Amino acid sequence: KSRIKSPESIVKKLKRYGYESSIDNMVDYINDIAGIRIVCSFTSDIYKLAEMIGKQNDLTVVSVKDYIKHPKESGYKSYHMLVTVPIFLSDRVVEIQIRTMAMDFWASLEHKIYYKFEGNAPQYISRDLRECSEIVSMLDAKMLQLNEAIIEARAAQEEDTDEV
């Protein structure tokens, strides 16, 4: 998925960071105006994709935020990379977010809640959302474990077939 941050969202973010709404501040302080979100099946895929992106000749990784290993206080998990992308006569920064389907589902709900309550959700909602984040992590781990078991079972079947 790709997206361009809306002008309203850019202005809100600048204000949240304590900056005036101006083109210069937008260019200097907002790095996620253009973004790409990659949603994959397993957590291990996230790190494989990040490695592949890092090896691209036409991209330069500016920074990485691993919210999977270091989740935000809200429970948010995702892997973010800021990369420069060569565009005719200049380079532009693009944010790449890589997450599992479960992380993406959780983040979509968290985003709705954040904007619904303008960052001040009731304590019980924030608590339940963090609890759901833990459940999402357990689900991702279990699905990865199942996938690895399937791969091992297939390999064992192929070995048995080769011996016959």
Side-chain angles (χ1 to χ4, degrees), residues 14-101:
L14 282 170
K15 286 181 182 176
R16 195 169 61 241
Y17 288 170
Y19 298 112
E20 225 178 90
S21 297
S22 71
I23 298 295
D24 288 339
N25 284 344
M26 179 183 76
V27 170
D28 291 341
Y29 301 111
I30 307 294
N31 291 316
D32 62 346
I33 292 173
I36 298 167
R37 182 170 301 131
I38 302 169
V39 179
C40 50
S41 298
F42 305 106
T43 309
S44 60
D45 295 342
I46 293 169
Y47 294 103
K48 288 175 191 168
L49 285 165
E51 184 180 344
M52 290 167 56
I53 291 166
K55 290 180 179 177
Q56 285 286 121
N57 293 338
D58 55 343
L59 301 176
T60 303
V61 177
V62 176
S63 70
V64 169
K65 290 185 182 174
D66 189 341
Y67 295 116
I68 298 166
K69 290 182 180 167
H70 307 285
K72 290 186 176 184
E73 189 177 323
S74 67
Y76 175 84
K77 291 184 177 185
S78 186
Y79 190 93
H80 292 203
M81 303 174 80
L82 288 181
V83 299
T84 55
V85 179
I87 300 175
F88 183 66
L89 296 180
S90 71
D91 285 346
R92 294 288 179 240
V93 175
V94 174
E95 180 184 58
I96 301 174
Q97 298 177 352
I98 312 172
R99 52 176 80 143
T100 64
M101 291 179 270

Side-chain angles (χ1 to χ4, degrees), residues 3 5-6 9 12 16 32 37 74 76 97 99 103-119 129:
R3 62 125 181 92
K5 191 176 277 296
S6 71
S9 183
K12 280 183 182 179
R16 195 169 61 241
D32 62 346
R37 182 170 301 131
S74 67
Y76 175 84
Q97 298 177 352
R99 52 176 80 143
M103 287 176 197
D104 194 53
F105 174 68
W106 184 94
S108 296
L109 180 60
E110 189 239 10
H111 185 77
K112 287 177 190 171
I113 290 170
Y114 180 83
Y115 282 100
K116 175 96 174 165
F117 293 102
E118 296 179 350
L129 197 57

